[in-house]
Structures are given as C-alpha cells and as structure tokens.
Amino acid sequence: MSKSYSILLLLLVVVVVILGILSPLVQSLRFDLQSGHTKCIAEDIKSNAMTVGKYSIVNPNEGHPLPESHKVTVRVTSTYGNNYHYGDTVESGQYAFTAAEAGDYMACFYAIDHKPVATITIDFEWKTGVAAKDWTNVAKKGQIDVMQLELKKLEDTVQSIHDEMFYLREREEEMQELNRATNSKMAWLSFLSLCICFSVAGLQLWHLKTFFERKKLL
C-alpha cells in the first residue's frame, strides 16, 4: 500500500469519526429502574430514517439466572402514538423500523411491581440514520475493499448530515411561524385588554360623577 494511499485512508477515517461525533446518531446508556416505576427515553427522528435499538437487563449476580423480579415491559411509540415495538415482561429485546413520520419517538420501560422493591439496571442502545446500517453486510454483499467502504460511509454520513440540516431548517420555519402566530394573538389580546380597562375606567368615572351629582356634591 503506497504512502499517499495510507494518508488518504487515514484522513477519511478521521473525517468519518469527526462527522460521527458531530451527528447525534447513536444513543447508548445504562440506567437504573425500580420495581413498579417507568422511565421513558425520547429520540428525535426524521421521516424515512432507519432506526434500530436493543436493550437487556444487567444480571446482578453473574453466573446465576436472573431473579424473577428482573423483568421489564417495553413499548416504543411515535409522536402520534403509533406502536412500533412491544415487549411484555422480558429480559432483553431489540427492534428495527423505518420512521413513517418525523418527530419524537419514545421508548418506555416499566419494571414489574415486586415486593420487596428491586432495582434493575438496563443497558439500552438506540441507533438512527447512518449508525443503524450494518456495514459488515454492506461490505460482504458489495465485495468492496476498505477504501471503498470508508468512502461509502463518508458519503452516507454527509448525506445524513445534509438531510438533518434541511430537517432542522424545516423545524425552525415551523417554530418561526408558531412564534409569529403567537405574537399576533398576544397583540390582539393586549389590545382587547386595554379596551376593557378603558371601558371599566370610563364606567367607574361615570358612576362616581352620577353619585356625586345625586348627593349635590358637584
């Protein structure tokens, strides 16, 4: 492999890593959940974006079966309430789907009620966009070398960031339109409030004048 080829490959890897850091495509975390409680995690996903997730309960006693208390019920829903995944009293699971509509998708974990109260630790990983692709299968199916694979990753990452920028621009326009509508309503509400205040003040002055005239004080 020539020196220039190695440098180019290194630069491509660095760019892919930087773009991956700048683009919030992967959400991986570990959290605790008590029996009888629910925890929900939201992810903003644009329409037609691929997303995959997997979760598992951490065994508190390695080498032994999971306790009966360590079960969770998992439900993944869209911003409009559509169900995309449901797991009933499970120890682990995974899901994959293409978002039909843009918005916040919610993954809710409910730990079954148990006495005495138990604390469950859950590993959860949520990938969207480019991170959700199985690049190993892409390389096998296409029979492409390392250089081509990195170029493909770079192309898809750039396209994902490009789409994300347009999505954010659309969301910004929606927020601006909402702000304009709110400001217009607030202006009319302020004008109406002033009219009511002036009307009440006028009625109070008229009432006081009439009262003093009846008492012959004016």
Side-chain angles (χ1 to χ4, degrees), residues 28-84:
S28 179
L29 67 152
R30 173 178 288 193
F31 59 90
D32 293 334
L33 185 61
Q34 284 190 337
S35 301
H37 289 72
T38 301
K39 183 178 181 63
C40 293
I41 298 169
E43 180 77 7
D44 187 13
I45 304 176
K46 62 179 181 292
S47 60
N48 298 321
M50 181 67 182
T51 181
V52 296
K54 61 180 180 180
Y55 54 88
S56 61
I57 297 175
V58 178
N59 194 338
N61 303 308
E62 292 187 6
H64 296 81
L66 273 174
E68 288 298 324
S69 59
H70 284 50
K71 296 287 196 310
V72 292
T73 296
V74 185
R75 186 185 298 274
V76 180
T77 58
S78 70
T79 186
Y80 298 104
N82 297 321
N83 290 323
Y84 284 89

Side-chain angles (χ1 to χ4, degrees), residues 12 16 146-156:
L12 285 173
V16 170
V146 176
M147 183 68 173
Q148 290 173 319
L149 182 60
E150 294 302 329
L151 286 173
K152 178 61 177 174
K153 286 183 180 180
L154 178 60
E155 179 186 1
D156 285 359

Side-chain angles (χ1 to χ4, degrees), residues 169-218:
R169 183 182 298 177
E170 292 176 0
R171 293 293 295 269
E172 182 183 4
E173 291 176 355
E174 292 176 1
M175 293 301 299
Q176 289 178 350
E177 184 64 29
L178 179 61
N179 289 335
R180 285 193 290 267
T182 302
N183 291 336
S184 177
K185 292 178 181 178
M186 289 301 298
W188 278 105
L189 181 60
S190 300
F191 177 74
L192 181 61
S193 299
L194 285 174
C195 291
I196 292 174
C197 289
F198 285 134
S199 300
V200 171
L203 287 173
Q204 288 177 337
L205 290 174
W206 175 80
H207 176 72
L208 289 174
K209 180 181 179 183
T210 304
F211 175 77
F212 288 134
E213 286 178 347
R214 284 203 308 268
K215 297 295 184 180
K216 299 184 190 275
L217 297 177
L218 289 178

Side-chain angles (χ1 to χ4, degrees), residues 23 25 46 49 128-131 153-167:
S23 182
L25 300 173
K46 62 179 181 292
T128 60
V130 177
K153 286 183 180 180
L154 178 60
E155 179 186 1
D156 285 359
T157 303
V158 172
Q159 183 63 41
S160 176
I161 295 176
H162 179 266
D163 294 341
E164 187 71 20
M165 291 177 63
F166 275 95
Y167 173 66

